[in-house]
Amino acid sequence: MQFRLFSFALIVLNCVEYSHCQSNRWKRSKRASYGPYPICKGCSQCSKDNGCLSCLPKLFFFLRREGMRQYGECLHACPSGYYGLRAPEMNRCSRCRIDNCDSCFSKDFCTKCKSGFYVHKGRCFDECPEGFSPSDSMECVEGCEVGPWSEWGTCSRRNKTCGFKWGLETRTRHIVKKPPKDTMPCPTIAESRRCRMAMRHCTKGQRKTLIKKKKKRKLLDRAQKQHTVVLSTERTSQ
């Protein structure tokens, strides 16, 4: 009689455990099937309407918005435009506060910018600042460093400072530090602009000087031609 009672008690306990397990299994399957997403995956607490309320350890809580609706999710990594902020209570996904940032280390330091932008010192730029050049990884790396511009030179045209109404003036700057790679070009080190000549008409002294220079140039050209003719004649005779 005692053996039958003991057997009956074991059967009852097994039935209770089985029904409890089946009930928990049904609850888990129901909890994981809310809506179009498995919104309760990774949750430690979950609501049918609001999704995850808290997450399992090492996961990040992310509040997703779709139109007028918002619900919580638990993710291993935060989506684009957010960074993971760990806290004793719960890890959260916080929004990057930097314009055109795709991935950030903290709210004020970007590590990767959106397409078409370059990252430089935690910020995003459409062009790299002066002294830096874009790399293949869309980062602004140290480029060619140039010195300050010189003063504008004398306004001239055809190496003359008179005889014309308009000319060109030029200024230059020197390369202080070359870039680490030759593929990164330096900015321009010389530029010219149009200018009005101080003296449109040359004085007599300036005219004489210009005439002398022209005559000297003609004599040098004539001598060079004669020398060339003599050399060619000697080679032919040999």
Side-chain angles (χ1 to χ4, degrees):
M1 184 66 180
Q2 290 180 353
F3 177 77
R4 289 182 179 179
L5 289 174
F6 180 75
S7 300
F8 179 77
L10 286 176
I11 293 172
V12 170
L13 287 174
N14 287 332
C15 290
V16 169
E17 287 185 3
Y18 178 79
S19 62
H20 179 69
C21 292
Q22 290 296 322
S23 175
N24 288 339
R25 188 177 301 171
W26 178 83
K27 287 181 181 179
R28 285 197 299 268
S29 63
K30 182 180 179 182
R31 183 178 62 184
S33 63
Y34 291 144
Y37 303 97
I39 57 176
C40 287
K41 185 178 181 180
C43 304
S44 58
Q45 290 181 339
C46 190
S47 167
K48 180 178 180 180
D49 297 323
N50 299 320
C52 293
L53 302 178
S54 61
C55 299
L56 296 175
K58 298 183 179 182
L59 298 182
F60 294 94
F61 177 81
F62 175 63
L63 188 62
R64 186 181 295 277
R65 292 178 174 85
E66 291 183 353
M68 299 297 292
R69 184 191 176 202
Q70 63 181 19
Y71 56 90
E73 286 185 311
C74 294
L75 308 173
H76 289 280
C78 296
S80 175
Y82 291 81
Y83 70 98
L85 181 63
R86 297 189 180 276
E89 301 82 12
M90 184 169 59
N91 303 326
R92 295 179 179 273
C93 290
S94 297
R95 184 184 294 274
C96 301
R97 300 299 180 185
I98 302 167
D99 295 337
N100 304 309
C101 184
D102 185 63
S103 178
C104 56
F105 175 75
S106 63
K107 66 177 182 179
D108 296 322
F109 195 93
C110 188
T111 55
K112 182 182 178 182
C113 299
K114 294 180 180 179
S115 178
F117 292 89
Y118 303 95
V119 63
H120 175 64
K121 295 184 178 180
R123 296 288 185 271
C124 296
F125 299 86
D126 54 355
E127 292 182 358
C128 288
E130 187 174 355
F132 294 85
S133 301
S135 65
D136 296 335
S137 59
M138 300 300 288
E139 297 181 16
C140 292
V141 296
E142 190 174 2
C144 184
E145 185 178 349
V146 293
W149 286 105
S150 65
E151 297 293 331
W152 288 102
T154 305
C155 187
S156 63
R157 183 174 178 180
R158 298 180 186 176
N159 295 324
K160 301 175 185 178
T161 58
C162 60
F164 301 94
K165 182 179 179 180
W166 298 99
L168 289 176
E169 58 184 3
T170 304
R171 67 176 183 175
T172 59
R173 58 182 176 180
H174 299 285
I175 296 176
V176 178
K177 184 179 180 181
K178 291 185 177 181
K181 295 182 180 179
D182 295 334
T183 54
M184 298 176 184
C186 287
T188 179
I189 57 174
E191 61 181 11
S192 301
R193 68 181 182 182
R194 193 183 183 198
C195 59
R196 184 186 291 270
M197 285 195 174
M199 295 179 63
R200 182 172 182 180
H201 302 286
C202 297
T203 62
K204 290 183 179 180
Q206 289 173 325
R207 288 176 186 172
K208 289 180 180 179
T209 304
L210 292 174
I211 291 171
K212 288 181 180 179
K213 287 183 178 180
K214 286 182 180 179
K215 286 183 178 180
K216 188 177 181 180
R217 192 180 299 112
K218 286 181 180 179
L219 289 172
L220 289 173
D221 292 341
R222 189 182 302 171
Q224 184 68 32
K225 288 180 181 178
Q226 290 177 355
H227 183 65
T228 304
V229 171
V230 171
L231 287 176
S232 61
T233 305
E234 289 179 355
R235 289 175 182 172
T236 305
S237 61
Q238 291 176 0

